[in-house]
Amino acid sequence: MKELKFARSIEINSKPDVIYKVITDIPRIPDFWHGTREINKIGENRYDVKFAFPSRAVSTFEFDRNSFIFIQNYIKGPFTGYTKNTIKYDGNKSILTTEWNIKLGPSLILFSRRLQGHFESGAENALKRIKEFVESNAGE
């Protein structure tokens, strides 16, 4: 299995609790993360994830409200691993960071170089959409 690891960050002019509320709204994830088309609950903390490319996965989620950490674990599908979103606050601005640590399944290994760039670009665009949403006061 081929591992893909990277992190991206963005500064958002908002308090962390406002950002956290937005990023942990599971049904709204596809609004920001366009590689995800749909997420449906299928059990206790188990979700069916339909991707923009023709594939599905099973995910679980971890919430740490006190530390402003939100983790999506991919436990079954074309890749496994996690995405970890963390918010740090310095008193007047927040930094939202997304960290990816996934392992591609056999069907995707040949495309690992292209997928790395695609996932990184998608993460950057998702962070920009979250920033725009929150700073437009729609996140309040």
Side-chain angles (χ1 to χ4, degrees):
M1 290 193 151
K2 171 76 174 159
E3 262 188 353
L4 300 183
K5 293 182 179 184
F6 67 90
R8 293 291 182 272
S9 297
I10 197 164
E11 184 178 305
I12 301 177
N13 295 313
S14 182
K15 295 195 174 176
D17 56 322
V18 173
I19 301 165
Y20 194 76
K21 183 178 177 185
V22 170
I23 67 171
T24 58
D25 186 352
I26 293 171
R28 300 234 23 231
I29 288 173
D31 293 346
F32 305 106
W33 298 90
H34 289 176
T36 302
R37 287 275 190 249
E38 192 177 314
I39 299 180
N40 294 299
K41 191 167 187 169
I42 57 173
E44 185 62 35
N45 194 28
R46 290 176 69 85
Y47 294 82
D48 175 60
V49 179
K50 182 179 178 185
F51 295 112
F53 64 97
S55 192
R56 300 180 105 85
V58 176
S59 283
T60 62
F61 294 92
E62 296 176 44
F63 303 85
D64 183 342
R65 177 82 173 87
N66 294 328
S67 298
F68 297 112
I69 296 171
F70 177 59
I71 300 171
Q72 182 173 5
N73 295 297
Y74 294 95
I75 58 174
K76 183 179 177 186
F79 53 85
T80 57
Y82 66 86
T83 60
K84 179 179 179 181
N85 297 291
T86 307
I87 305 163
K88 299 290 183 199
Y89 187 62
D90 73 3
N92 58 17
K93 68 178 182 281
S94 296
I95 304 292
L96 172 59
T97 299
T98 187
E99 174 188 339
W100 287 56
N101 187 339
I102 59 173
K103 292 179 182 160
L104 299 178
S107 65
L108 297 179
I109 288 176
L110 289 175
F111 309 103
S112 62
R113 182 171 294 159
R114 187 167 46 150
L115 285 172
Q116 176 91 28
H118 181 74
F119 287 160
E120 289 180 22
S121 174
E124 289 170 6
N125 290 328
L127 293 177
K128 288 175 188 173
R129 284 188 283 273
I130 293 165
K131 174 184 175 74
E132 183 179 299
F133 180 78
V134 170
E135 290 183 353
S136 73
N137 293 321
E140 299 280 344

